[in-house]
Amino acid sequence: MPVLGFNITKVEMEKKAIGVPGGQIEVRLSPKIKEMRLGEIRTPTGKMNGIEVLFRYEIDYNPKVAQGVIEGIILYVPPQKDKMDEILNLWEDEKKMDPVTFAEIVNFITKEVSPMIMLLAKEMRLPYHIPLPRVEVKS
């Protein structure tokens, strides 16, 4: 797996309304990459270089009943080690990532952060960001 480390540095959720209004409530998730830099992790076999990716995951409700943010860092190691410099140079020059790397990183972050968002929504009595399966009785 190309992600070797994952660390949450900030979790914030604020309820803006006392009650949740009825009707359609839209939950928008916005993953953003704040910074990328060279990083390393110590393993039993020695040090391993990778790319530290600082992210910000914003949660917005419409109508404005709540909003939140989760920030953290992952250590990403590309499948081809020689692409590390290419990825970092593209970020330094243009603050961009190639679509395959971006998708891989955002999918990992979403997988790790989604259970936390579910728990926060449950504790704060907010709608979940993904629909839960429901059983319906048919006559």
Side-chain angles (χ1 to χ4, degrees), residues 6-31:
F6 177 76
N7 191 16
I8 297 291
T9 58
K10 178 181 181 179
V11 177
E12 185 178 286
M13 185 70 111
E14 181 181 6
K15 201 169 185 180
K16 300 283 189 175
I18 294 174
V20 178
Q24 183 80 13
I25 295 179
E26 179 183 320
V27 182
R28 192 178 84 234
L29 304 174
S30 304

Side-chain angles (χ1 to χ4, degrees), residues 53-67:
V53 180
L54 285 72
F55 68 88
R56 179 179 176 90
Y57 209 94
E58 297 175 357
I59 306 112
D60 287 311
Y61 287 79
N62 190 15
K64 280 280 193 208
V65 294
Q67 69 182 38

